């Protein structure tokens, strides 16, 4: 154990702080699904300094630094310290770009990576279907080969940003007769293609964070496949691992905890600070211990990564524990506000723009999405504890 | 930046684990626990041989001169085996003498603590947990009067380090006049606790340097060690439950293939694994990050108490009826976790202290 940073990293931290001091006035507000011009300016500034797209080769529009997990962490910590938005973290950047770098053709890399990094090309992810959620590999959206093109027919759901996206990376079934994991291909195509219909899916938050996407005879040139035909499941798994890393991030829990501490110091009931209520305080302290544990667990995972070792159980539990913790934090914030906690939709006396109710509802979706809590428990018990898979039952149709 | 155990630390844990595997199997633990007091000189000698009681004692006095993290890693292994040996008492008493003992006290006691030939008990409960009933010790002119409850590692102690009501520390030999020791029988038969009553009992002050700080460091180190003991016991309970679930069959399948059972195991693992990082950090903080030492110790002890309780009951449930019998000896781990929870500050008290330490509320 040695938690000190050596001189090189201490100097790097100062360099990032100096950037933050000098440029904080340019920080854009977080907005909806498409980056604003302010966000694009900010993103380009971050890339130029190596605070976004840090390790992506300069030839594809990145900063081109060698991977250094510690530096990436310092950047994230300093940006959190100054409450500055980091680089764009949409699905194109977090999931498609790493996939293209790993498995894309040179042409695909040239065409897509730079505009995606700069926020000018926005992507959505076409994975889940109404009949293929936890069992994603059973997806049915068809891609028929007409010689030159694939002809896509079917439906996707939970497609965030689809209404605002330029492009989609999409899993389709190209080999209907192959075993289910071996008949899938990974395609990229324009959301402006004829035959695509996007319907917003209104959720309990009142917003429409997701969409349904319908494909009717959508033509996609066969060159727009990533990886080999029939290998899409394995291409997608390369990206899912990036998504699971994003969910349950302990830095998000830490900044929420700080916000609740402020809330409990300022909100008053009968003239007393909420912080002075021992029951709320006890819950706050229980959650603080959990936030600390996940933060230190994150440092342990980081050390494993630096050594090139697999993080094992410490990594397998992050999505399950982190998402639940964020949800519990939102619940505490609502509870300490009492009746004020239910105010929403811009009501008089609403606190923090109703963000805690929004998070409480939206985070329930995160507990479910990206592999449900139950799927996470299967993964933990099977991969982490080496317990057997539940035996398969005969298909529903074969049972009496 | 490196958040990991060193090769030496891993080896130290493994060698203690192997030794206890050999000298403290379940039937030996059961035999010790069935005695009126948990005396196991053979196990204590084997543990001392590996340097466990020497861990915090400075090298100049025959110790290993290591840190609280190392002491916690050993406590974890002791918890894993429900080892019936004195540990927290001598380790914290040694810390008291190292920090605030006179040179002659150090020379007289530390080498014996380090070798395991001398055992020191510890009466710190009123300071760390608050006073129950009429407990409390007062010191005047080299004499102690009053009562200390829940003194740790008392049965085999040659002497005690005692905290008084006014924040002073004292060294009292076990055979001092006016000292009466009454064993308290707890659920956990692998460790001894006692009530000490003092009537004009002669004592030596342990009063060098900043004694208030010494008391806090003892309390915080003790909390980390108890939390680590719970980590070890709880991890063992999960390991045993998972192993059992892979063997036990019902309805023609191993029960570990049912999601109802798998998910219980996954929940235990998911709750306990981040605790390991919390213990490492809190142990490291005791020596390297003084500003964070008390807060992380309080949180580690409180959180491990809660997660330990969850794992203790859930892992027992995985076994079904056999889990609550004496046959498998799971209950020794269950009770170990139960005792750790209450000692040196129960979770509700610790969380309140954690809030005070951060200035969220007034003391």
């Amino acid at each position: 154990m040695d938690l000190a940073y050596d001189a090189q990293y201490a100097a790097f931290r100062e360099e990032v702080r100096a950037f933050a001091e000098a440029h904080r006035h340019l920080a854009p507000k977080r907005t909806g699904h498409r980056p604003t011009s302010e966000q694009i300016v900010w993103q380009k500034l971050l890339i130029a300094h190596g605070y976004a797209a840090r390790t992506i080769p300069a030839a594809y529009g990145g900063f081109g630094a060698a991977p250094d997990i510690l530096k990436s962490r310092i950047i994230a910590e300093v940006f959190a310290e100054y409450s500055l938005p980091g680089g764009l973290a949409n699905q194109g950047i977090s999931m498609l770009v790493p996939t293209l770098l790993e498995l894309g053709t040179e042409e695909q890399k040239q065409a897509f990576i730079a505009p995606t990094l700069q926020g000018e090309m926005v992507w959505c992810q076409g994975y889940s279907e109404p009949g293929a959620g936890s069992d994603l590999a059973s997806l049915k959206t068809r891609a028929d080969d007409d010689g030159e093109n694939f002809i896509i027919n079917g439906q996707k759901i939970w497609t965030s940003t689809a209404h605002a996206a330029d492009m989609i990376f999409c899993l389709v079934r190209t080999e209907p007769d192959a075993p289910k994991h071996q008949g899938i291909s990974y395609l990229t195509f324009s959301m402006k293609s004829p035959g695509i219909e996007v319907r917003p899916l209104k959720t309990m938050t009142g917003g429409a964070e997701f969409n349904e996407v319908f494909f009717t005879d959508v033509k996609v040139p066969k060159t727009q496949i990533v990886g080999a035909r029939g290998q899409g499941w394995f291409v997608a798994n390369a990206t899912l691992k990036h998504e699971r890393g994003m969910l349950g991030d302990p830095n998000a829990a830490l900044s929420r905890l700080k916000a609740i501490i402020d809330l409990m110091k300022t909100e008053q009931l009968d003239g007393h600070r909420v912080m002075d209520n021992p029951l709320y305080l006890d819950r706050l302290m229980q959650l603080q211990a959990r936030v600390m544990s996940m933060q230190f667990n994150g440092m342990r995972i980081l050390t494993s990564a630096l050594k090139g070792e697999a993080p094992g159980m410490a990594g397998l539990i992050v999505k399950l524990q982190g998402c639940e913790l964020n949800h519990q934090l939102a619940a505490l914030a609502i509870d300490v506000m009492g009746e004020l906690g239910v105010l929403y939709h811009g009501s008089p006396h609403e606190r923090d723009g109703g963000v805690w109710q929004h998070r409480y509802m939206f985070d329930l979706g995160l507990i479910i999405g990206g592999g449900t809590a139950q799927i996470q428990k299967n993964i933990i018990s099977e991969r982490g504890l080496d317990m057997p898979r539940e035996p398969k039952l005969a298909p529903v149709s074969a049972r009496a | 930046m490196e958040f990991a155990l060193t090769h030496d630390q891993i080896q130290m844990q493994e060698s203690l684990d192997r030794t206890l595997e050999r000298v403290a199997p379940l039937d030996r633990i059961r035999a010790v626990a069935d005695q009126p007091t948990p005396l196991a000189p053979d196990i204590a000698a084997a543990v001392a041989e590996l340097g466990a009681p020497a861990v915090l004692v400075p090298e100049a006095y025959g110790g290993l001169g290591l840190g609280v993290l190392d002491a916690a890693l050993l406590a974890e292994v002791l918890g894993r085996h429900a080892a019936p040996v004195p540990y927290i008492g001598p380790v914290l008493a040694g810390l008291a003498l190292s920090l605030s003992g006179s040179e002659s006290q150090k020379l007289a006691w530390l080498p014996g603590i380090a070798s395991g030939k001398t055992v020191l008990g510890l009466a710190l409960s009123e300071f760390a947990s608050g006073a129950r009933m009429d407990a409390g010790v007062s010191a005047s002119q080299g004499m102690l009067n009053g009562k200390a409850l829940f003194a740790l590692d008392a049965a085999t102690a040659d002497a005690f380090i005692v905290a008084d009501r006014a924040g002073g520390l004292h060294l009292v030999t076990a055979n001092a006049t006016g000292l009466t020791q009454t064993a308290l029988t707890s659920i956990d038969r692998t460790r001894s606790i006692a009530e000490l009553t003092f009537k004009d009992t002669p004592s030596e002050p342990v009063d060098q340097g900043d004694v208030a700080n010494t008391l806090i460091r003892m309390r915080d180190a003790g909390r980390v060690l108890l939390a680590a003991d719970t980590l070890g016991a709880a991890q063992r309970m999960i390991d045993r439950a998972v192993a059992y679930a892979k063997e036990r069959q019902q309805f023609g399948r191993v029960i570990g293939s049912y999601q109802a059972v798998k998910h219980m195991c996954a929940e235990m693992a998911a709750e306990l694994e981040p605790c390991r990082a919390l213990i490492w950090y809190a142990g490291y903080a005791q020596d390297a990050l003084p500003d964070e030492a008390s807060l992380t110790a309080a949180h580690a002890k409180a959180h491990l108490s809660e997660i330990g309780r969850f794992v203790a009951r859930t892992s027992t449930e995985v076994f079904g009826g056999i889990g609550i019998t004496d046959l498998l000896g799971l209950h020794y781990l269950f009770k170990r976790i139960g005792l750790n929870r209450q000692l040196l500050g129960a979770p509700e008290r610790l969380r309140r202290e954690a809030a005070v330490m951060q200035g969220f509320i007034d003391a």
Side-chain angles (χ1 to χ4, degrees), chain B:
Chain B
M1 212 293 301
E2 171 148 355
F3 193 89
L5 301 183
T6 62
H7 182 67
D8 285 354
Q9 285 169 329
I10 292 167
Q11 268 200 332
M12 181 179 76
Q13 281 195 309
E14 284 174 355
S15 72
L16 183 58
D17 191 57
R18 276 194 306 272
T19 297
L20 287 169
E21 203 75 61
R22 182 167 49 79
V23 301
L26 177 60
D27 52 356
R28 184 76 189 98
I29 300 288
R30 186 176 281 122
V32 175
D34 286 345
Q35 298 169 165
T37 49
L39 297 176
D42 54 329
I43 304 176
V47 168
E49 180 92 358
L50 292 171
V55 60
L56 293 187
V57 175
E59 287 174 281
Y61 302 97
L64 298 173
L66 297 172
V68 174
L69 174 60
D70 304 282
L73 296 173
L74 293 171
E76 180 190 347
V77 183
L78 295 174
R80 182 172 176 77
H81 293 271
V85 295
Y87 185 65
I88 293 201
V91 169
L92 294 189
L95 182 62
L97 292 171
S98 302
L99 294 172
S100 282
S102 66
E103 190 55 32
S104 62
Q105 285 171 335
K106 291 180 190 175
L107 287 168
W109 294 98
L110 289 177
I113 292 175
S115 68
K117 292 197 172 69
T118 309
V119 172
L120 265 75
L122 180 76
L124 195 64
S125 168
E126 285 72 33
F127 174 73
S129 306
R132 293 274 166 188
M133 300 181 285
D134 55 347
V137 175
S138 5
S140 165
Q141 294 167 342
M143 301 283 197
L144 298 185
N145 277 287
K147 187 194 304 190
L149 282 168
F150 315 115
L152 304 176
D153 291 331
T156 53
D158 302 291
F160 292 93
I161 293 288
V162 179
D164 70 28
R165 280 197 179 109
L169 281 168
H170 309 272
L171 175 68
V172 186
T173 55
N175 59 8
T177 53
L179 168 58
T180 313
Q181 193 182 139
T182 310
L184 301 175
T185 310
S186 87
I187 50 166
D188 178 14
R189 308 283 297 136
T190 66
R191 284 170 299 173
S192 80
I193 51 175
E195 173 178 348
L196 307 180
T197 51
F198 303 95
K199 192 163 177 2
D200 295 332
T201 306
S203 68
E204 288 178 31
V206 177
D207 60 358
Q208 305 297 299
D210 184 350
V211 177
N213 183 56
T214 299
L215 261 169
I216 288 171
R217 287 185 62 179
M218 291 165 67
R219 176 198 71 185
D220 294 344
R223 288 172 175 172
V224 175
L225 298 190
L226 289 167
D229 193 280
T230 290
L231 173 68
Q235 183 65 57
R236 181 73 174 281
M237 291 191 85
I238 295 176
D239 294 349
R240 291 192 60 183
V242 169
Y244 183 79
K246 289 184 204 170
E247 281 173 14
R248 165 78 174 169
Q249 297 200 14
Q250 288 287 275
F251 304 104
R253 287 159 55 180
V254 293
I255 61 169
S257 67
Y258 293 105
Q259 286 193 347
V261 176
K262 283 164 70 173
H263 287 192
M264 288 165 86
C265 295
E267 284 163 14
M268 289 192 283
E271 287 281 53
L272 194 64
E273 195 60 33
C275 291
R276 191 173 300 282
L278 180 61
I279 297 284
W280 290 0
Y281 192 96
Y284 174 80
Q286 300 310 306
D287 294 298
L289 308 167
D291 294 347
E292 298 177 54
S294 291
L295 180 64
T296 55
H299 270 319
K301 170 71 170 45
H303 190 55
L304 265 294
S305 297
E306 305 294 10
I307 302 307
R309 173 179 273 181
F310 167 70
V311 170
R313 65 75 48 98
T314 307
S315 60
T316 303
E317 262 185 290
V318 168
F319 282 84
I322 201 82
I324 62 159
T325 69
D326 179 51
L327 288 168
L328 302 177
L330 279 176
H331 64 99
Y332 294 115
L333 298 161
F334 184 102
K335 292 166 181 171
R336 188 105 177 172
I337 292 169
L339 176 62
N340 289 342
R341 180 183 173 97
Q342 311 304 118
L343 294 176
L344 302 186
E348 292 75 11
R349 180 187 174 92
L350 292 169
R351 290 193 287 266
R352 189 173 187 286
E353 282 187 27
V356 172
M357 288 170 197
Q358 296 173 88
F360 295 163
I361 53 167
D362 296 329

Side-chain angles (χ1 to χ4, degrees), chain A residues 276-324:
Chain A
D276 291 318
N277 178 316
L279 297 178
Y280 291 139
L281 183 68
D282 192 72
R283 280 175 64 187
L284 177 71
M285 290 297 95
Q286 291 195 36
L287 292 173
Q288 185 178 42
R290 287 183 173 277
V291 171
M292 276 184 172
S293 302
M294 292 308 290
Q295 205 189 332
F296 304 149
N297 189 65
M299 293 164 73
R300 186 179 166 202
I301 294 171
L302 176 70
T303 298
S304 303
L306 288 168
K307 292 178 168 177
E309 292 166 0
M313 186 63 88
L316 293 176
I317 55 107
V318 170
K319 199 267 168 179
L320 178 68
Q321 295 297 97
C323 289
E324 181 62 32

Side-chain angles (χ1 to χ4, degrees), chain A residues 369-382:
Chain A
T372 64
Q374 289 65 39
I375 292 287
Q376 297 304 318
K377 290 175 193 175
N378 283 351
I379 293 172
I380 292 165
S381 54
E382 287 162 18

Side-chain angles (χ1 to χ4, degrees), chain A residues 128-187:
Chain A
S128 296
E129 296 181 5
S134 292
D135 181 13
L136 181 62
S138 68
L139 61 90
K140 290 193 171 64
T141 293
R142 244 175 45 228
D144 299 316
D145 184 348
D146 80 347
E148 201 173 323
N149 297 303
F150 288 117
I151 310 297
I152 319 288
N153 281 284
Q155 182 195 347
K156 295 289 173 181
I157 191 171
W158 307 120
T159 322
S160 33
T161 321
H163 56 293
D166 305 300
M167 297 287 293
I168 183 168
F169 53 99
C170 191
L171 293 180
V172 295
R173 190 159 297 283
T174 45
E175 267 63 39
D177 301 325
K180 70 177 181 180
H181 293 94
Q182 280 143 41
I184 295 170
S185 295
Y186 185 110
L187 301 183

Side-chain angles (χ1 to χ4, degrees), chain A residues 203-207 209 256 259-260 263 283 326-367:
Chain A
T203 70
M204 66 195 295
T205 66
E209 297 92 350
R256 265 181 207 203
I260 295 171
L263 187 69
R283 280 175 64 187
N326 279 332
H327 198 230
Q328 295 292 326
L329 286 163
L332 175 60
I334 289 167
D335 293 353
V336 302
M337 289 189 282
E339 290 99 326
L340 288 173
V342 299
L343 299 180
Y344 201 55
H345 298 302
S347 167
H349 305 301
E350 182 187 75
R351 298 291 193 263
D352 301 328
V355 72
W356 294 108
Q357 281 290 358
H358 186 277
R359 283 175 179 163
Y360 183 74
M361 292 186 272
F362 187 74
D363 283 4
L364 187 51
L366 294 184
I367 288 171

